[in-house]
Amino acid sequence: MVDDSASEARFIKAALGTGFQVETFPDGAAMLERLHAGRAPDVVVLDWEMPGMSGPEVCQFLRGQRETEVLPVLLLTSHSRPEDLVQGLRAGANDYVSKPFRTEEVRARVDALARTKRLVDDVRRASEEKAEVFAQLDALLTSSPVGLSLMDRDLRFVRVNACMAKLDGLPVDAYAGRTLAEVLPGRAPWLEPLLRRVMETGEPAEELGLTLEHAGAPGSGVHVMASYHPVRTARGEVVGVGSVLVDVTRHKQAEAELRSTAEFRERFLGIVGHDLRNPLNSIRMGASFLVASEQLPPPLERTASRIIHSTDRMTRMITELLDFTRSRLGSGIPLTPGATDLGQVARQVVGELELVHPNRTVKVTATGPLTGSWDADRLAQVLSNLVGNALQYSPADATVELTLVGEPEQAVARVSNPGEAIDPEELKTLFHPFQRARTGAHVPSGLGLGLFISDQIARGHRGSLTVTSDAERTVFTLTLPRSGA
C-alpha cells in the first residue's frame, strides 16, 4: 500500500481486514527500495497523487523491470475523466478504484487481483517446470547412444538426434521439416507403409532387424535393431511416430566370431577323433594278439582283456564324437538304409553286451514282422547305447528288458529297466548333446552323446526316440517306420 496519507492508508488496511498482510509506504521510492531488497508482494495498491513519483510513474517503472512486469497493481484515483483513467491503465495498472471508494469495492478488487497473481504464478511455475523437463529431454535426446527420431502424421521429421543421423550417414540439419521420402528415398518404399500402419493401428513394431547401407559406401552396412512406436497426446490421439534404432553391428560381429570358433572347435574334434582311431586299433590288435597266443598267465590275460574292452569303449566314444561333429556341421549323420531284420540286429547287440556284462541278464521278446528298410549298423549303435545304458544304471540284480514289436506300418523297440527315476525337468534336455541328468542315471557313453546320436539316427529314419520314467521303471521307446530313411 503506497499512499502519502497515513489516515487513508489505515482506512484501506482496515477495509482489507485480516486476510492480508499489509505493508504501507509514504511514497513510491520507499516502496521500490523495499521491492529491491525483498520478495515481491501479491498486489500493489498505489495512490495516484503522491509527492515525488506519481502512481502512474511508479507503475511504469514496475512494468519496466523483469521481476515486477506482471505484478498486479490497483490504482486509487480521484480523477474521473476518461482520458485520465486511460492514462493510468496505459501506464500498466491492472485496475482502478475511484475516490471516494467503498471498502467492499476495494477488498473485492484486491481479492480479484490476488487470485490473478496466484494463477499467473502457477502458470509461470508450470511453464518453468515444463521448460526444465524439455531441457532435460533435449539433453537426453542429444546425448543418447541410440538413434532417436520423431515424425508427424505426414511422416515429416520433427526431431532427430545425432546418433540417428550418424546411423543414416547424414548431417543432423538434413532432416528438419523434410519428409521421410525426401531424406531417405531408398528406405521410404518399405518403411512408409510400416510407419503408417503403426499410426493407424496404434500398435508398435518392435525389434526389427535391419541393415542400413550408406549411399556411396557399398558393403559398409550397419546392423540395427529398430522399433517404431505411436506418439500420442494426453487424450490418446496419435499425432506421429517415434523411431528407436540400436546399433548391433558389434554384436553381429561377435556372433559371427563365436560361430566361427564353434565350427573350428567341432572340426578339430572331428580331426582328433579320426586320428585317434589308428593308435587305438594298434593297441587293440596288440592286446588281442597277446590273448590269442595263450602264453599269458591268467592275471595278465585278464589285464589284456580289459585293455581290449577299454579300447572298444574309446572307439565307440570317438565314433559318437565324429557323428556329433557331422551333425553340427550340417552334413548330418550318414545313413545307408537297406533290408534289415531288427530282431537279428537286437540279438547281435545283446550278445556283445552280455560278454561285457557276464553277470547281467537281458530279456529279449519279439512279436510280429521286424523287417524294414533301415541302416543296420546305425540301429545297432542305437540299441547298444540304450541297452548298455540300462545295464550300467540299473541295480546289479535287475533284469533289463528289450521288447520288439512289429506293427503293420512300423516296428517298435522298447528298452526298460528298474532304477532311480529321471526328474521330469531333466527329461526335457536328455536328448541334447553333452547333457546329463543330475541324478547320474540313464545317460549313455562317457560324454553324454549317446542319446543325442541315437535320437539323430531315429530322426534320420523318420522315426522317433522317447523316454518315460517313474519310480518303478525307465523306458526308452524307438519307433521306426518301415519305409526307412
Side-chain angles (χ1 to χ4, degrees):
M1 173 68 192
V2 185
D3 197 317
D4 60 332
S5 171
S7 60
E8 192 167 280
R10 285 194 301 271
F11 178 77
I12 294 176
K13 185 175 182 179
L16 294 175
T18 58
F20 293 91
Q21 292 181 341
V22 182
E23 286 187 73
T24 59
F25 300 90
D27 54 51
M31 186 271 291
L32 293 175
E33 184 178 353
R34 173 69 178 84
L35 285 181
H36 181 72
R39 184 175 66 87
D42 295 311
V43 181
V44 173
V45 179
L46 282 176
D47 188 21
W48 184 300
E49 300 292 346
M50 292 185 295
M53 299 177 68
S54 67
E57 291 173 338
V58 173
C59 195
Q60 284 181 324
F61 184 86
L62 292 175
R63 295 296 175 252
Q65 307 299 311
R66 182 178 181 278
E67 295 79 6
T68 58
E69 61 183 351
V70 296
L71 183 62
V73 175
L74 178 66
L75 201 59
L76 304 178
T77 178
S78 58
H79 297 277
S80 58
R81 295 186 310 165
E83 55 267 28
D84 292 334
L85 298 178
V86 170
Q87 178 189 352
L89 294 175
R90 284 180 175 174
N94 298 87
D95 201 355
Y96 68 92
V97 175
S98 299
K99 296 181 182 180
F101 47 78
R102 293 176 298 171
T103 57
E104 295 84 357
E105 182 182 6
V106 172
R107 181 177 179 86
R109 293 186 182 275
V110 171
D111 275 335
L113 291 177
R115 287 196 301 273
T116 302
K117 173 63 163 52
R118 284 194 294 271
L119 290 174
V120 170
D121 287 346
D122 290 343
V123 170
R124 172 177 286 183
R125 188 160 46 248
S127 177
E128 290 174 350
E129 291 174 355
K130 185 181 295 185
E132 183 178 354
V133 169
F134 277 124
Q136 293 172 350
L137 289 175
D138 191 65
L140 181 62
L141 178 72
T142 303
S143 61
S144 175
V146 300
L148 301 172
S149 68
L150 175 63
M151 286 176 276
D152 61 19
R153 289 197 63 87
D154 296 325
L155 297 184
R156 193 175 300 276
F157 284 99
V158 179
R159 289 297 304 271
V160 174
N161 73 343
C163 184
M164 178 69 83
K166 182 179 179 181
L167 291 173
D168 290 335
L170 298 171
V172 175
D173 56 10
Y175 297 83
R178 301 177 66 192
T179 64
L180 175 65
E182 293 171 336
V183 179
L184 301 169
R187 209 178 302 169
W190 61 266
L191 186 54
E192 279 190 0
L194 173 66
L195 299 182
R196 295 194 186 282
R197 187 165 61 251
V198 168
M199 289 188 291
E200 290 170 3
T201 64
E203 296 294 329
E206 298 180 308
E207 297 185 355
L208 305 179
L210 307 176
T211 300
L212 308 181
E213 295 286 351
H214 295 168
S220 61
V222 178
H223 300 285
V224 299
M225 194 66 70
S227 296
Y228 303 98
H229 296 260
V231 177
R232 303 177 185 273
T233 64
R235 297 186 300 274
E237 178 186 0
V238 176
V239 294
V241 60
S243 306
V244 180
L245 268 61
V246 181
D247 188 348
V248 295
T249 304
R250 291 184 180 180
H251 297 287
K252 288 285 186 181
Q253 293 171 346
E255 288 177 0
E257 292 173 0
L258 285 174
R259 284 195 299 270
S260 177
T261 300
E263 183 175 341
F264 171 79
R265 181 176 62 249
E266 288 164 4
R267 290 185 183 276
F268 179 75
L269 282 174
I271 293 170
V272 170
H274 182 272
D275 291 347
L276 279 175
R277 285 181 165 182
N278 289 333
L280 280 175
N281 287 335
S282 298
I283 292 171
R284 192 187 192 287
M285 288 177 61
S288 299
F289 175 78
L290 292 174
V291 172
S293 68
E294 299 181 353
Q295 296 179 5
L296 295 176
L300 293 182
E301 185 176 345
R302 288 193 296 272
T303 300
S305 297
R306 283 196 294 270
I307 292 174
I308 293 173
H309 293 155
S310 296
T311 54
D312 287 343
R313 184 165 176 264
M314 291 182 68
T315 300
R316 289 194 298 272
M317 292 168 60
I318 291 171
T319 300
E320 289 173 351
L321 268 178
L322 292 174
D323 287 341
F324 170 74
T325 302
R326 292 191 191 100
S327 175
R328 297 291 284 185
L329 293 179
S331 58
I333 296 177
L335 298 176
T336 308
T340 302
D341 187 331
L342 183 60
Q344 182 179 347
V345 172
R347 287 190 292 272
Q348 178 184 345
V349 168
V350 171
E352 292 174 354
L353 289 172
E354 286 180 339
L355 291 176
V356 182
H357 303 273
N359 299 321
R360 299 299 303 276
T361 300
V362 179
K363 180 182 177 181
V364 181
T365 58
T367 58
L370 298 173
T371 56
S373 179
W374 306 307
D375 187 323
D377 291 336
R378 289 300 188 182
L379 291 188
Q381 186 178 355
V382 174
L383 294 177
S384 179
N385 276 331
L386 298 180
V387 178
N389 176 69
L391 289 169
Q392 183 175 355
Y393 292 107
S394 60
D397 57 349
T399 297
V400 173
E401 296 182 4
L402 172 56
T403 304
L404 307 175
V405 180
E407 299 176 354
E409 300 294 332
Q410 62 188 17
V412 180
R414 292 186 179 87
V415 178
S416 64
N417 63 275
E420 185 179 354
I422 305 175
D423 185 274
E425 290 299 318
E426 294 173 347
L427 288 175
K428 299 176 183 178
T429 60
L430 204 58
F431 294 108
H432 294 181
F434 300 107
Q435 294 289 320
R436 283 179 172 273
R438 289 189 293 272
T439 57
H442 309 289
V443 183
S445 93
L447 291 175
L449 287 174
L451 285 184
F452 171 76
I453 300 300
S454 299
D455 182 58
Q456 296 300 302
I457 293 172
R459 291 171 184 266
H461 285 92
R462 297 179 184 172
S464 64
L465 179 61
T466 59
V467 58
T468 59
S469 185
D470 56 31
E472 295 182 358
R473 304 190 73 79
T474 294
V475 181
F476 286 90
T477 301
L478 172 66
T479 303
L480 299 168
R482 293 190 186 280
S483 59

XYZ file of all heavy atoms in Angstrom, residues 285-361:
588
model
N 44.768 -104.435 -31.436
C 45.348 -105.575 -32.140
C 46.444 -106.230 -31.320
O 46.547 -107.464 -31.232
C 45.906 -105.126 -33.495
C 44.822 -104.786 -34.518
S 45.509 -104.179 -36.067
C 46.469 -105.610 -36.576
N 47.285 -105.400 -30.664
C 48.350 -105.952 -29.830
C 47.793 -106.744 -28.668
O 48.267 -107.862 -28.359
N 46.771 -106.190 -27.972
C 46.189 -106.890 -26.832
C 45.499 -108.168 -27.290
O 45.585 -109.224 -26.623
C 45.201 -105.974 -26.113
N 44.801 -108.115 -28.466
C 44.140 -109.318 -28.984
C 45.157 -110.401 -29.343
O 44.924 -111.603 -29.109
C 43.307 -108.960 -30.224
O 42.299 -108.022 -29.895
N 46.281 -109.990 -29.894
C 47.331 -110.962 -30.234
C 47.865 -111.656 -28.985
O 48.069 -112.869 -28.959
C 48.472 -110.256 -30.975
C 49.651 -111.137 -31.269
C 49.614 -112.053 -32.321
C 50.806 -111.076 -30.486
C 50.705 -112.882 -32.586
C 51.888 -111.894 -30.738
C 51.843 -112.799 -31.796
N 48.048 -110.884 -27.906
C 48.552 -111.478 -26.664
C 47.551 -112.471 -26.094
O 47.918 -113.545 -25.592
C 48.858 -110.378 -25.645
C 50.033 -109.452 -25.983
C 50.122 -108.331 -24.960
C 51.347 -110.237 -26.011
N 46.247 -112.126 -26.160
C 45.239 -113.043 -25.630
C 45.176 -114.305 -26.487
O 45.078 -115.436 -25.977
C 43.864 -112.349 -25.574
C 42.766 -113.354 -25.219
C 43.883 -111.216 -24.541
N 45.247 -114.139 -27.819
C 45.152 -115.298 -28.716
C 46.360 -116.213 -28.630
O 46.274 -117.407 -28.952
C 44.962 -114.801 -30.152
N 47.509 -115.680 -28.183
C 48.726 -116.503 -28.111
C 48.638 -117.571 -27.028
O 49.396 -118.554 -27.056
C 49.941 -115.612 -27.846
O 49.884 -115.061 -26.537
N 47.731 -117.394 -26.048
C 47.540 -118.318 -24.933
C 48.837 -118.566 -24.159
O 49.056 -119.612 -23.574
C 46.974 -119.659 -25.436
C 45.619 -119.543 -26.104
C 45.085 -120.894 -26.568
O 45.838 -121.893 -26.479
O 43.912 -120.946 -27.005
N 49.739 -117.608 -24.193
C 51.014 -117.740 -23.489
C 51.070 -116.865 -22.237
O 52.076 -116.856 -21.527
C 52.170 -117.374 -24.422
C 52.309 -118.303 -25.622
C 53.451 -117.898 -26.540
O 54.206 -116.974 -26.229
N 53.587 -118.607 -27.666
N 49.983 -116.096 -21.978
C 49.986 -115.197 -20.827
C 49.442 -115.915 -19.606
O 48.513 -116.724 -19.707
C 49.115 -113.961 -21.108
C 49.591 -113.018 -22.218
C 48.559 -111.912 -22.416
C 50.948 -112.412 -21.871
N 50.005 -115.624 -18.456
C 49.406 -116.158 -17.230
C 48.026 -115.518 -17.026
O 47.755 -114.421 -17.539
C 50.395 -115.736 -16.133
C 51.160 -114.612 -16.703
C 51.225 -114.836 -18.189
N 47.159 -116.186 -16.286
C 45.778 -115.685 -16.116
C 45.668 -114.220 -15.701
O 44.834 -113.477 -16.261
C 45.185 -116.633 -15.077
C 45.954 -117.906 -15.275
C 47.356 -117.495 -15.626
N 46.456 -113.721 -14.718
C 46.309 -112.298 -14.343
C 46.589 -111.358 -15.517
O 45.887 -110.369 -15.726
C 47.320 -112.129 -13.215
C 47.513 -113.493 -12.654
C 47.417 -114.409 -13.836
N 47.648 -111.666 -16.314
C 47.977 -110.787 -17.435
C 46.950 -110.915 -18.552
O 46.661 -109.954 -19.261
C 49.371 -111.117 -17.960
C 50.541 -110.800 -17.016
C 51.870 -111.135 -17.661
C 50.519 -109.313 -16.628
N 46.382 -112.122 -18.703
C 45.356 -112.294 -19.722
C 44.121 -111.458 -19.394
O 43.510 -110.860 -20.274
C 44.989 -113.773 -19.833
C 43.998 -114.056 -20.961
C 43.725 -115.543 -21.117
O 44.487 -116.359 -20.563
O 42.728 -115.867 -21.779
N 43.754 -111.391 -18.090
C 42.617 -110.555 -17.694
C 42.920 -109.075 -17.961
O 42.053 -108.308 -18.380
C 42.287 -110.775 -16.216
C 41.636 -112.126 -15.935
C 41.052 -112.166 -14.543
N 42.071 -112.035 -13.502
C 42.740 -113.069 -12.978
N 42.496 -114.312 -13.392
N 43.645 -112.877 -12.034
N 44.189 -108.677 -17.697
C 44.568 -107.284 -17.964
C 44.470 -106.973 -19.449
O 43.960 -105.907 -19.855
C 46.012 -107.025 -17.471
O 46.079 -107.264 -16.071
C 46.414 -105.584 -17.760
N 44.938 -107.894 -20.309
C 44.858 -107.674 -21.754
C 43.402 -107.603 -22.204
O 43.044 -106.796 -23.088
C 45.590 -108.800 -22.486
N 42.534 -108.440 -21.609
C 41.108 -108.394 -21.961
C 40.494 -107.044 -21.586
O 39.668 -106.487 -22.328
C 40.359 -109.537 -21.263
O 40.827 -110.794 -21.710
N 40.902 -106.509 -20.418
C 40.398 -105.185 -20.014
C 40.872 -104.111 -20.995
O 40.143 -103.152 -21.283
C 40.829 -104.855 -18.585
C 40.019 -105.578 -17.525
C 40.204 -104.942 -16.158
N 41.578 -105.085 -15.666
C 42.010 -106.104 -14.928
N 41.163 -107.078 -14.610
N 43.251 -106.158 -14.502
N 42.112 -104.252 -21.503
C 42.610 -103.291 -22.491
C 41.734 -103.327 -23.741
O 41.378 -102.293 -24.312
C 44.085 -103.581 -22.836
C 44.981 -103.287 -21.629
C 44.534 -102.757 -24.044
C 46.436 -103.686 -21.831
N 41.375 -104.550 -24.181
C 40.522 -104.687 -25.367
C 39.167 -104.022 -25.127
O 38.663 -103.262 -25.965
C 40.347 -106.179 -25.713
C 41.690 -106.775 -26.162
C 39.296 -106.361 -26.808
C 41.649 -108.274 -26.363
N 38.562 -104.297 -23.960
C 37.253 -103.698 -23.662
C 37.346 -102.180 -23.599
O 36.449 -101.466 -24.071
C 36.719 -104.247 -22.336
C 36.393 -105.711 -22.397
N 36.382 -106.509 -21.279
C 36.077 -106.516 -23.438
C 36.073 -107.754 -21.629
N 35.879 -107.778 -22.942
N 38.433 -101.647 -23.006
C 38.586 -100.194 -22.891
C 38.779 -99.549 -24.252
O 38.209 -98.476 -24.529
C 39.771 -99.856 -21.983
O 39.545 -100.302 -20.664
N 39.571 -100.176 -25.127
C 39.756 -99.596 -26.459
C 38.453 -99.637 -27.255
O 38.160 -98.711 -28.024
C 40.871 -100.323 -27.226
O 40.594 -101.732 -27.236
C 42.224 -100.091 -26.583
N 37.676 -100.718 -27.077
C 36.375 -100.777 -27.748
C 35.479 -99.632 -27.282
O 34.767 -98.999 -28.082
C 35.697 -102.121 -27.473
C 36.350 -103.273 -28.234
O 37.091 -102.995 -29.206
O 36.125 -104.438 -27.854
N 35.527 -99.379 -25.964
C 34.703 -98.292 -25.421
C 35.168 -96.937 -25.963
O 34.364 -96.074 -26.322
C 34.772 -98.321 -23.903
C 33.873 -97.300 -23.217
C 33.706 -97.633 -21.750
N 32.925 -96.625 -21.068
C 33.444 -95.608 -20.383
N 34.754 -95.497 -20.268
N 32.662 -94.714 -19.794
N 36.486 -96.732 -26.013
C 37.009 -95.478 -26.551
C 36.672 -95.334 -28.029
O 36.360 -94.232 -28.503
C 38.524 -95.417 -26.355
C 38.951 -95.267 -24.894
S 40.733 -95.133 -24.719
C 41.023 -93.532 -25.466
N 36.686 -96.438 -28.763
C 36.327 -96.387 -30.178
C 34.878 -95.951 -30.344
O 34.545 -95.149 -31.230
C 36.559 -97.759 -30.832
O 37.948 -98.114 -30.713
C 36.171 -97.726 -32.304
N 33.991 -96.487 -29.483
C 32.593 -96.076 -29.557
C 32.437 -94.584 -29.245
O 31.667 -93.876 -29.889
C 31.745 -96.915 -28.593
C 31.553 -98.363 -29.031
C 30.436 -99.022 -28.233
N 30.727 -99.077 -26.804
C 31.393 -100.077 -26.217
N 31.840 -101.096 -26.943
N 31.603 -100.072 -24.919
N 33.190 -94.116 -28.235
C 33.125 -92.694 -27.895
C 33.601 -91.829 -29.059
O 32.989 -90.782 -29.378
C 33.963 -92.416 -26.648
C 33.406 -93.027 -25.372
S 34.590 -92.969 -24.002
C 34.849 -91.213 -23.862
N 34.680 -92.238 -29.722
C 35.191 -91.476 -30.861
C 34.176 -91.475 -31.991
O 33.954 -90.458 -32.664
C 36.545 -92.061 -31.322
C 37.612 -91.772 -30.264
C 36.960 -91.477 -32.667
C 38.915 -92.493 -30.516
N 33.533 -92.622 -32.222
C 32.502 -92.697 -33.256
C 31.379 -91.709 -32.966
O 30.880 -91.012 -33.859
C 31.943 -94.130 -33.341
O 33.014 -95.033 -33.672
C 30.843 -94.222 -34.395
N 30.968 -91.630 -31.683
C 29.914 -90.699 -31.318
C 30.367 -89.253 -31.520
O 29.595 -88.394 -31.966
C 29.490 -90.935 -29.873
C 28.716 -92.239 -29.687
C 28.444 -92.547 -28.227
O 29.001 -91.845 -27.368
O 27.685 -93.490 -27.952
N 31.628 -88.945 -31.180
C 32.145 -87.593 -31.396
C 32.120 -87.237 -32.875
O 31.746 -86.118 -33.258
C 33.577 -87.477 -30.855
C 33.728 -86.997 -29.410
C 35.196 -86.987 -29.012
C 33.145 -85.597 -29.248
N 32.534 -88.173 -33.722
C 32.526 -87.915 -35.159
C 31.096 -87.724 -35.667
O 30.832 -86.841 -36.492
C 33.213 -89.069 -35.903
C 34.733 -89.198 -35.670
C 35.265 -90.450 -36.344
C 35.462 -87.966 -36.183
N 30.183 -88.540 -35.175
C 28.783 -88.374 -35.568
C 28.256 -87.007 -35.132
O 27.542 -86.324 -35.875
C 27.932 -89.483 -34.953
C 28.159 -90.830 -35.633
O 28.674 -90.837 -36.775
O 27.843 -91.864 -35.017
N 28.589 -86.641 -33.914
C 28.155 -85.337 -33.396
C 28.701 -84.208 -34.259
O 27.994 -83.264 -34.608
C 28.619 -85.186 -31.950
C 28.437 -83.796 -31.407
C 27.190 -83.315 -31.064
C 29.536 -82.958 -31.252
C 27.029 -82.038 -30.566
C 29.382 -81.673 -30.769
C 28.118 -81.211 -30.423
N 29.988 -84.296 -34.619
C 30.604 -83.254 -35.426
C 29.932 -83.156 -36.789
O 29.642 -82.066 -37.279
C 32.116 -83.539 -35.599
O 32.718 -83.613 -34.313
C 32.782 -82.440 -36.406
N 29.666 -84.299 -37.422
C 28.983 -84.276 -38.713
C 27.602 -83.621 -38.587
O 27.189 -82.833 -39.443
C 28.807 -85.702 -39.239
C 30.109 -86.389 -39.637
C 29.808 -87.681 -40.379
N 31.002 -88.485 -40.553
C 31.324 -89.528 -39.793
N 30.516 -89.884 -38.798
N 32.434 -90.212 -40.009
N 26.895 -83.948 -37.512
C 25.558 -83.387 -37.305
C 25.614 -81.880 -37.121
O 24.823 -81.134 -37.701
C 24.898 -84.049 -36.090
O 23.655 -83.447 -35.817
N 26.573 -81.399 -36.314
C 26.662 -79.970 -36.022
C 27.145 -79.168 -37.222
O 26.798 -78.002 -37.369
C 27.613 -79.744 -34.849
C 27.154 -80.371 -33.549
C 25.947 -79.686 -32.992
N 26.293 -78.425 -32.378
C 25.439 -77.650 -31.722
N 24.175 -78.026 -31.623
N 25.827 -76.521 -31.188
N 27.956 -79.773 -38.090
C 28.469 -79.061 -39.255
C 27.494 -79.071 -40.420
O 27.804 -78.575 -41.498
C 29.814 -79.653 -39.685
C 30.967 -79.434 -38.694
C 32.231 -80.087 -39.206
C 31.192 -77.949 -38.433
N 26.327 -79.681 -40.231
C 25.280 -79.583 -41.237
C 25.183 -80.748 -42.186
O 24.212 -80.851 -42.942
N 26.180 -81.631 -42.190
C 26.103 -82.746 -43.130
C 25.209 -83.866 -42.620
O 24.808 -84.754 -43.372
C 27.510 -83.296 -43.408
O 28.133 -83.723 -42.201
N 24.886 -83.862 -41.329
C 24.025 -84.883 -40.755
C 24.754 -86.195 -40.542
O 25.872 -86.393 -41.011
N 24.117 -87.098 -39.808
C 24.702 -88.418 -39.574
C 24.407 -89.276 -40.796
O 23.250 -89.456 -41.170
C 24.103 -89.040 -38.294
C 24.491 -88.199 -37.076
C 24.581 -90.476 -38.127
C 23.885 -88.679 -35.792
N 25.453 -89.812 -41.451
C 25.221 -90.582 -42.684
C 24.478 -91.888 -42.402
O 24.777 -92.593 -41.443
C 26.636 -90.847 -43.211
C 27.522 -90.740 -42.016
C 26.882 -89.718 -41.125
N 23.491 -92.194 -43.243
C 22.713 -93.429 -43.138
C 22.759 -94.180 -44.465
O 22.717 -93.554 -45.536
C 21.257 -93.129 -42.778
C 20.986 -92.440 -41.438
C 19.498 -92.131 -41.297
C 21.443 -93.300 -40.274
N 22.849 -95.492 -44.379
C 22.820 -96.344 -45.565
C 21.706 -97.368 -45.385
O 21.937 -98.490 -44.910
C 24.173 -97.052 -45.777
O 25.217 -96.085 -45.761
C 24.187 -97.788 -47.113
N 20.467 -97.009 -45.707
C 19.350 -97.933 -45.475
C 19.390 -99.121 -46.439
O 19.834 -99.013 -47.583
C 18.118 -97.071 -45.709
C 18.582 -95.980 -46.611
C 20.015 -95.721 -46.270
N 18.932 -100.218 -45.936
C 18.818 -101.441 -46.724
C 17.914 -102.419 -46.006
O 17.445 -102.153 -44.886
N 17.680 -103.570 -46.632
C 16.826 -104.578 -45.999
C 17.448 -105.035 -44.688
O 18.573 -105.531 -44.653
C 16.630 -105.761 -46.944
N 16.720 -104.843 -43.581
C 17.272 -105.095 -42.248
C 16.254 -105.839 -41.402
O 15.053 -105.527 -41.437
C 17.656 -103.768 -41.551
O 18.592 -103.079 -42.371
C 18.249 -104.017 -40.180
N 16.759 -106.804 -40.642
C 15.940 -107.528 -39.664
C 16.277 -106.975 -38.288
O 17.365 -107.205 -37.765
C 16.216 -109.020 -39.742
C 15.271 -109.834 -38.858
O 14.823 -109.297 -37.823
O 14.999 -110.983 -39.187
N 15.339 -106.223 -37.712
C 15.583 -105.594 -36.410
C 15.822 -106.643 -35.327
O 16.640 -106.428 -34.424
C 14.396 -104.695 -36.042
C 14.519 -103.908 -34.738
C 15.726 -102.977 -34.758
C 13.236 -103.112 -34.472
N 15.139 -107.791 -35.413
C 15.345 -108.850 -34.424
C 16.754 -109.387 -34.464
O 17.386 -109.615 -33.416
N 17.305 -109.594 -35.663
C 18.675 -110.097 -35.787
C 19.670 -109.078 -35.253
O 20.629 -109.435 -34.551
C 18.967 -110.408 -37.261
C 20.348 -110.989 -37.504
C 20.578 -111.304 -38.979
O 19.646 -111.318 -39.770
N 21.822 -111.568 -39.318
N 19.451 -107.769 -35.557
C 20.342 -106.724 -35.034
C 20.300 -106.715 -33.512
O 21.338 -106.620 -32.836
C 19.928 -105.345 -35.599
C 20.725 -104.232 -34.917
C 20.133 -105.294 -37.102
N 19.115 -106.823 -32.933
C 18.971 -106.788 -31.480
C 19.691 -107.962 -30.831
O 20.382 -107.798 -29.812
C 17.494 -106.780 -31.104
N 19.529 -109.177 -31.394
C 20.200 -110.334 -30.794
C 21.717 -110.194 -30.849
O 22.424 -110.563 -29.908
C 19.740 -111.603 -31.526
C 18.306 -112.015 -31.189
C 17.979 -113.396 -31.748
N 17.932 -113.370 -33.209
C 16.833 -113.082 -33.899
N 15.700 -112.785 -33.274
N 16.845 -113.121 -35.223
N 22.235 -109.629 -31.954
C 23.681 -109.426 -32.065
C 24.171 -108.437 -31.010
O 25.197 -108.670 -30.356
C 24.005 -108.907 -33.465
C 25.478 -108.617 -33.694
C 25.740 -108.001 -35.066
O 24.872 -108.036 -35.942
N 26.924 -107.467 -35.246
N 23.433 -107.341 -30.821
C 23.831 -106.329 -29.838
C 23.797 -106.906 -28.432
O 24.728 -106.710 -27.632
C 22.909 -105.097 -29.952
C 23.120 -104.155 -28.753
C 23.169 -104.361 -31.249
N 22.727 -107.622 -28.089
C 22.597 -108.200 -26.749
C 23.725 -109.197 -26.500
O 24.304 -109.257 -25.401
C 21.215 -108.845 -26.576
C 21.152 -109.642 -25.268
C 20.131 -107.772 -26.582
N 24.059 -110.020 -27.520
C 25.156 -110.975 -27.347
C 26.467 -110.282 -27.032
O 27.234 -110.739 -26.161
N 26.764 -109.178 -27.711
C 28.016 -108.449 -27.440
C 28.006 -107.856 -26.037
O 29.018 -107.896 -25.323
C 28.193 -107.354 -28.483
C 28.449 -107.876 -29.891
C 28.464 -106.755 -30.914
O 28.166 -105.604 -30.526
O 28.771 -107.023 -32.098
N 26.874 -107.306 -25.616
C 26.806 -106.674 -24.294
C 26.877 -107.701 -23.172
O 27.402 -107.424 -22.089
C 25.528 -105.840 -24.180
C 25.504 -104.558 -25.025
C 24.123 -103.918 -24.973
C 26.560 -103.563 -24.540
N 26.346 -108.888 -23.406
C 26.420 -109.918 -22.370
C 27.858 -110.378 -22.140
O 28.203 -110.805 -21.035
C 25.533 -111.099 -22.758
C 24.045 -110.805 -22.587
C 23.163 -111.975 -22.978
O 23.639 -112.850 -23.752
O 22.002 -112.017 -22.511
N 28.710 -110.282 -23.180
C 30.131 -110.584 -22.979
C 30.772 -109.552 -22.066
O 31.641 -109.868 -21.244
C 30.856 -110.626 -24.328
C 30.494 -111.792 -25.260
C 31.215 -111.622 -26.587
C 30.859 -113.125 -24.613
N 30.347 -108.274 -22.217
C 30.902 -107.191 -21.384
C 30.318 -107.238 -19.977
O 30.989 -106.911 -18.994
C 30.618 -105.824 -22.037
C 31.232 -104.698 -21.199
C 31.194 -105.787 -23.450
N 29.061 -107.705 -19.848
C 28.387 -107.780 -18.542
C 27.974 -109.231 -18.300
O 26.775 -109.573 -18.383
C 27.158 -106.862 -18.511
C 27.459 -105.428 -18.802
N 27.828 -104.535 -17.838
C 27.443 -104.733 -19.983
C 28.005 -103.335 -18.372
N 27.789 -103.437 -19.689
N 28.939 -110.110 -17.994
C 28.633 -111.545 -17.897
C 27.670 -111.892 -16.763
O 27.034 -112.941 -16.800
C 30.009 -112.180 -17.683
C 30.851 -111.084 -17.115
C 30.362 -109.814 -17.736
N 27.538 -111.035 -15.769
C 26.682 -111.348 -14.620
C 25.293 -110.718 -14.724
O 24.521 -110.775 -13.766
C 27.353 -110.886 -13.326
C 28.683 -111.583 -13.101
O 28.825 -112.783 -13.371
N 29.670 -110.833 -12.612
N 25.002 -110.103 -15.885
C 23.700 -109.446 -16.048
C 22.830 -110.215 -17.024
O 23.315 -110.998 -17.858
C 23.873 -108.005 -16.558
C 24.665 -107.095 -15.623
C 23.973 -106.945 -14.256
N 22.631 -106.437 -14.396
C 22.327 -105.150 -14.513
N 23.303 -104.252 -14.459
N 21.077 -104.770 -14.628
N 21.505 -109.962 -16.931
C 20.538 -110.642 -17.783
C 19.777 -109.621 -18.607
O 19.256 -108.632 -18.065
C 19.551 -111.462 -16.942
O 20.282 -112.432 -16.184
C 18.532 -112.162 -17.838
